[in-house]
Amino acid sequence: MGEQETDAAVARARLRLLAAEFTTPRATRRAAAGRRTPTTAPREPINLDILDHLTKSTREIVDYTREVVPDADPPPATAEGIYGWMVKLTPHLDVDRQMVRDAIIHRQALEHAIAMGDKDVIRYEECPGCTCWSLFWRYGEDQAACVNRYCADQLGRPSLWTLQQIAEHYVDVKYAARKAAT
């Protein structure tokens, strides 16, 4: 299994978990002892933000694949097969476009984990600035902060990185290692 397939498998597994666990109808809790005032509007049966995230992620994969392979086969009916479909149709691309593809897959894998509430996934990513393992997710800012004091800006504030920047750095390191091995 190649590196692209491994990264795609991680993204696929996270997407499957996100779709299975976070878009199923929520269980309603029964009222505790005593009376409770009923609400006038019912709750959404699923988390609509997650549903929007899944739709946006799938659309991005389909759009990029169709951009680089205009005569591509139709995408799979299920969202889980979308990453394998993308990798299968794009092995012939030049290195720059393969790097863009891999960065999209890696970024989306991170987004899926964060959407599920797994903010610790950022700690396993290398900082694009200092290449250390000191990234922490900043709640509410949708960015990771490097807490290495040598990676701070001139005012002593931590350097901030978007998921796109982290994914691009990950892919750059992966392709540099592959190039050095040949």
Side-chain angles (χ1 to χ4, degrees):
M1 183 180 261
E3 289 179 53
Q4 291 83 12
E5 289 86 7
T6 303
D7 291 339
V10 169
R12 180 177 47 250
R14 288 182 181 162
L15 181 71
R16 183 181 310 121
L17 181 62
L18 190 63
E21 296 296 325
F22 292 85
T23 61
T24 55
R26 296 180 187 148
T28 57
R29 293 190 304 197
R30 294 191 176 180
R35 292 187 58 178
R36 199 179 109 198
T37 307
T39 59
T40 57
R43 291 178 48 183
E44 301 89 21
I46 61 173
N47 187 334
L48 297 177
D49 292 335
I50 298 294
L51 191 60
D52 289 343
H53 169 77
L54 294 172
T55 303
K56 182 182 127 274
S57 299
T58 304
R59 175 60 35 209
E60 181 182 16
I61 295 293
V62 170
D63 289 348
Y64 181 75
T65 305
R66 293 218 183 275
E67 176 186 324
V68 296
V69 184
D71 59 340
D73 298 335
T78 61
E80 291 98 26
I82 203 80
Y83 295 107
W85 173 76
M86 180 188 207
V87 170
K88 183 182 88 172
L89 291 174
T90 57
H92 67 283
L93 296 178
D94 59 83
V95 174
D96 291 335
R97 287 189 176 189
Q98 286 186 15
M99 289 175 74
V100 170
R101 175 200 63 201
D102 292 349
I104 290 170
I105 292 171
H106 190 70
R107 177 182 46 80
Q108 284 194 3
L110 294 173
E111 287 174 349
H112 300 334
I114 290 170
M116 288 185 282
D118 183 10
K119 312 289 193 242
D120 291 340
V121 72
I122 293 299
R123 294 184 184 185
Y124 300 105
E125 297 294 324
E126 188 176 274
C127 173
C130 64
T131 67
C132 66
W133 304 91
S134 57
L135 292 177
F136 288 86
W137 188 249
R138 292 188 62 147
Y139 297 94
E141 295 185 26
D142 291 339
Q143 291 181 327
C146 179
V147 295
N148 182 347
R149 66 183 178 139
Y150 298 110
C151 192
D153 67 8
Q154 294 176 348
L155 298 175
R157 295 178 298 209
S159 56
L160 301 176
W161 305 97
T162 64
L163 291 178
Q164 181 66 34
Q165 291 169 318
I166 293 168
E168 288 173 357
H169 174 72
Y170 170 83
V171 170
D172 286 344
V173 169
K174 182 172 80 171
Y175 276 79
R178 184 184 304 165
K179 188 175 182 180
T182 58

